[in-house]
């Protein structure tokens, strides 16, 4: 029944549109639109400073956004996971800001964290981080009971965690939370980020909104100029009671909440709080890093960031350690304050002043620190000494690998930072770059021809082995009369009752000892080198050998034209060095990448691609996703690096061929048939012709703007590829659910996690996970097909897996 009509004029896209609505329906919807518009205001206004209250919204403004709101009551499904995370954090942020009074936050544990709505929102955050849709079935968690337990102090942390021991060394222990404790940790993390986000320094790049791994490298590459010395600082410290007490004392300056600090102490006593400086690289989604470690580490090392600002004031603004006149102190001090306010100077005067005197630049990503100093060596040594003294005396951290400051010269030193190689150089000339590109193409062409030669010779050798076995079996049949004097002579040494196959193997062992075949890498090399190649036509062998020799000589040596180009290039670089024009080049660690390709079974000892035996039993889609996930990581991380051309060669030569050979080994069919039948599925793994096109169109749906989302997906966008092998379940009738937190789907298979490398700090960024805790090696986990694919593609990390599920069943 219509009780009245309301006429509403709305301005949409510069057009006036008349819309009629029932008056009662309109009155009922006004409250919901007002609340929604209040959230929109908070979303659009991302100020980080605390506010006394939320501004009121008038009815006219609420009605103005009517056309942006769909008529359906539930539009949550239309939002992306990032938008849903933002909305959840905004709701918690409003609750946290309401507890701000007299420059401190009060009672966050009782009012905000121990709240059923907050815990339900944080449970949704855990599910979103686990790549689970919020519309699917949920776990049976009673959030009101959890809130009461937190308020009364009855929540038992030890009962809600599980200890994982290394099989060979019981001292290696890792304590991981279950789903309930993970939800509470997520609530504490969100609250602490709301409190401390406005106070973080601009030199900090880890686990922050608008900053991340790529922003740190971009800062090093583009924003640091005219530096004379640089060095990295490596720390190694497992947090003890001194570090934790120092951390709590710093947090008490902004927060007054005894229950929150007591809960952090309880996490530390239960060893669930894995606050470790150094030991393994951070931000890779490793289970041993934990959920609270990133924000607590940023809070703790925020004291270091403040000390760097004070050092910069002393050395730059006040000119400490410089030999210049005292009359220039005030201009330098004014320039220093302008530099702190502005991100970069635009005037020529500021650029001129920036090149004179001392200058300190620091880039910190979690516990990895890079320091660049402009000035004399004495100033660099003095700054390094001050930094080390502060870290060891004030922050109680152990500093290792105390390298001396290195001179920032062209092609002099290579530094490792954030898993990449950093080197100062000048841009290559176009002619020299063309020569290097030609060499890469020649090397790839030679490797392809060598692979064809080896495959054909091995095929002939295998046929020769089959023919030899058949010939011996035929000689045993006297009616055929095919025996020869040589076979008759050899049969005298045959033991009575020895079968023909065993006899043939014994003859092959004697022959291999005679030709000293142990020095060869494998059986295929023996067949190719000692059986097939000696009987091939001499002109064919010589032509191939000469081709390979000339090609390798070209690759390994510089021709006269290249030397002439180098002379011109060096002359140009000297003139650029005199004008202090330096370019910081970032390179992928190719040697570590090749060693990981070998350890994961993608290539053999000779560097040729092979099938990955651990993946053979898995589904075809999962096999392709495993290789596609590796390529996605390389394209995402190294697309702007100097040696990205070599990464493309690895994609073409190793990864794609290993994928086709893995599928071929699964079905025992040739590679050509796999390429033909799986043409559409293998399109996600690019080939030489379409790689540049796919890079220009963002292949695989990858977006290259990752920094703005790193605070919401910390550890996921940088997670490495792990290796899972299919495991046999001893009791097939037993049904397991997926071990991913928040997922209620059934797990059709069990998988074994393989740890391929030891924990090292700092670690190289190779695309593979090389720092998984050793206690998780060969652990069985149940995963649904959706999350196996998500883990391979890098959409989730190992932090989303609840490893203690089997112990509860």
């Amino acid at each position: 029944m219509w009780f009245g009509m309301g006429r509403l004029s709305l301005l949409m896209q510069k057009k006036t549109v008349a819309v009629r609505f029932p008056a009662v329906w309109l009155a009922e919807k006004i409250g919901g639109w007002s609340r929604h518009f209040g959230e929109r205001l908070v979303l659009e206004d991302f100020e980080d400073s605390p506010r006394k209250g939320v501004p009121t919204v008038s009815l006219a403004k609420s009605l103005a956004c009517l056309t942006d709101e769909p008529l359906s009551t539930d539009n949550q499904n239309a939002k992306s996971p990032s938008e849903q995370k933002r909305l959840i954090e905004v709701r918690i942020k409003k609750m946290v800001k309401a507890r701000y009074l007299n420059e401190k936050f009060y009672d966050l544990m009782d009012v905000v964290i121990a709240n059923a709505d907050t815990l339900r929102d944080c449970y949704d955050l855990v599910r979103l981080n686990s790549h689970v849709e919020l519309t699917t079935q949920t776990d049976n968690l009673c959030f009101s009971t959890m809130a009461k337990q937190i308020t009364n102090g009855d929540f038992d942390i030890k009962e809600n965690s599980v200890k994982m021991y290394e099989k060979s060394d019981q001292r290696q222990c890792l304590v991981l939370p279950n789903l309930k404790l993970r939800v509470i940790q997520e609530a504490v993390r969100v609250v602490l980020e709301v409190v401390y986000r406005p106070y973080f320094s601009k030199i900090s790049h880890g686990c922050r909104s608008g900053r991340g791994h790529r922003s740190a490298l971009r800062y090093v590459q583009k924003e640091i100029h005219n530096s004379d010395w640089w060095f990295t600082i490596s720390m190694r410290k497992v947090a003890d009671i001194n570090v934790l007490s120092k951390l709590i004392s710093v947090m008490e300056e902004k927060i007054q909440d005894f229950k929150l600090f007591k809960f952090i102490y309880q996490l530390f006593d239960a060893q669930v709080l894995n606050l470790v400086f150094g030991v393994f690289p951070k931000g890779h989604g490793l289970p041993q890093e934990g959920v609270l470690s990133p924000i607590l580490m940023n809070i703790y090392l925020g004291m270091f960031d403040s000390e760097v600002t004070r050092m910069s004031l002393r050395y730059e603004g006040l000119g400490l350690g410089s030999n210049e006149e005292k009359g220039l102190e005030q201009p330098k001090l004014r320039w220093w304050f302008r530099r702190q306010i502005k991100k970069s100077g635009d005037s020529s005067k500021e650029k001129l002043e920036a090149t004179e005197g001392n200058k300190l630049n620091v880039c910190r990503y979690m516990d990895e620190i890079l320091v660049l100093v402009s000035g004399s060596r004495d100033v660099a040594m003095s700054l390094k000494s001050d930094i080390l003294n502060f870290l060891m005396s004030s922050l109680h951290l152990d500093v290792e690998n105390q390298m001396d400051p290195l001179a920032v010269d062209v092609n002099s030193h290579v530094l490792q930072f954030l898993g990449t190689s950093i080197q100062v150089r000048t841009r290559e000339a176009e002619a020299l770059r063309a020569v290097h590109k030609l060499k890469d193409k020649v090397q790839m062409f030679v490797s392809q021809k060598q692979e064809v030669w080896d495959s054909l010779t091995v095929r002939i050798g295998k046929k020769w082995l089959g023919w030899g076995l058949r010939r011996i079996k035929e000689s045993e049949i006297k009616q055929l009369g095919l025996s020869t004097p040589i076979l008759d002579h050899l049969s005298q040494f045959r033991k009575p009752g020895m079968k023909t196959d065993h006899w043939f193997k014994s003859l092959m062992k004697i022959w291999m000892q005679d030709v000293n075949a142990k020095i060869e890498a494998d059986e295929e090399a023996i067949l190719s080198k000692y059986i097939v190649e000696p009987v091939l036509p001499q002109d064919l062998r010589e032509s191939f050998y000469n081709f390979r020799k000339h090609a390798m000589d070209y690759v390994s040596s510089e021709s006269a034209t290249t030397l002439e180009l180098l002379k011109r290039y060096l002359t140009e670089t000297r003139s650029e060095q005199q004008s202090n024009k330096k370019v910081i080049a970032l390179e992928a660690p190719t040697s570590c990448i090749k060693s990981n390709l070998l350890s994961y079974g993608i290539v053999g000892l000779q560097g040729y691609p092979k099938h990955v035996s651990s993946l053979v039993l898995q589904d075809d889609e999962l096999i392709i996703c495993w290789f596609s996930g590796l390529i996605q990581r390389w394209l995402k991380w190294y697309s702007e690096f100097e040696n990205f051309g070599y990464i493309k060669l690895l994609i073409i030569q190793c990864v794609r061929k290993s994928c086709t050979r893995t599928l071929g080994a699964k079905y025992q069919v040739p590679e050509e048939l796999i390429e033909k039948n799986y043409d559409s599925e293998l399109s996600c793994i690019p080939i030489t012709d379409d790689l540049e096109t796919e890079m220009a169109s963002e292949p695989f749906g990858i977006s290259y703007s990752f920094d703005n989302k790193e605070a919401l997906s910390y550890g996921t966008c940088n997670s490495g590829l792990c290796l899972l092998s299919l495991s046999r379940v001893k009791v097939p009738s037993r049904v397991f659910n997926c071990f991913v937190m928040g997922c209620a789907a059934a797990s059709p298979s069990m998988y074994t996690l393989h740890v391929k490398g030891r924990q090292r700090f700092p670690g190289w960024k190779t695309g593979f996970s090389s720092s998984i805790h050793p206690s998780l090696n060969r652990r069985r986990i149940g995963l649904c097909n959706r999350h196996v694919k998500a883990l391979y593609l890098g959409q989730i990390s190992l932090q989303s897996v609840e490893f203690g599920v089997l112990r509860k069943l």
Side-chain angles (χ1 to χ4, degrees), residues 295-348:
I295 181 65
L296 293 180
M297 186 173 294
N298 275 336
I299 295 173
Y300 192 75
L301 292 180
M303 294 183 286
F304 168 77
D305 301 338
S306 302
E307 183 64 21
V308 167
T309 304
R310 288 190 287 268
M311 291 180 184
S312 176
L313 174 60
R314 292 199 304 268
Y315 283 87
E316 295 182 33
L318 302 180
L320 181 62
S322 62
N323 298 323
E324 298 181 1
E325 299 178 1
K326 295 184 178 181
L328 298 177
E329 290 182 359
Q330 290 192 358
K332 286 185 178 180
L333 190 59
R334 287 196 299 269
W335 170 80
W336 184 85
F337 278 108
R338 286 199 300 267
R339 182 179 170 224
Q340 300 303 315
I341 295 174
K342 299 180 180 179
K343 293 183 178 180
S344 60
D346 297 329
S347 63
S348 59

Side-chain angles (χ1 to χ4, degrees), residues 525-586:
I526 297 174
L527 292 176
S528 177
K529 184 176 180 180
Y530 295 98
I531 294 178
V532 180
E533 290 186 4
V535 299
L536 291 177
Q538 184 176 0
D539 56 346
L540 177 62
R541 284 186 285 117
E542 290 181 354
S543 61
F544 179 74
Y545 294 157
N546 291 333
F547 159 75
R548 185 173 59 184
K549 180 178 180 301
H550 291 314
M552 297 308 298
D553 290 342
Y554 175 80
V555 172
S556 61
S557 63
E558 297 287 348
S559 61
T561 306
T562 307
L563 291 175
E564 183 64 26
L565 290 174
L566 280 174
K567 291 179 180 179
R568 299 178 185 174
Y569 174 62
L570 291 175
T571 304
E572 295 175 358
T573 55
R574 289 193 188 98
S575 60
E576 290 184 356
Q577 291 180 32
Q578 292 176 359
S579 59
N580 292 327
K581 293 182 179 179
K582 301 175 183 177
V583 178
I584 298 180
L586 305 178

Side-chain angles (χ1 to χ4, degrees), residues 22-23 47 104 111 121 144 184 200 231-232 286 297 312 318 320 374 514 518 591 659 677 721 725 728:
E47 79 281 4
K104 276 193 175 183
V111 180
D121 286 340
S144 59
I184 300 175
F200 286 144
F231 57 91
T232 58
L286 301 174
M297 186 173 294
S312 176
L318 302 180
L320 181 62
S374 177
D514 184 52
K518 290 184 178 181
S591 59
C659 182
N677 295 339
L721 181 64
S725 62
R728 298 294 182 183

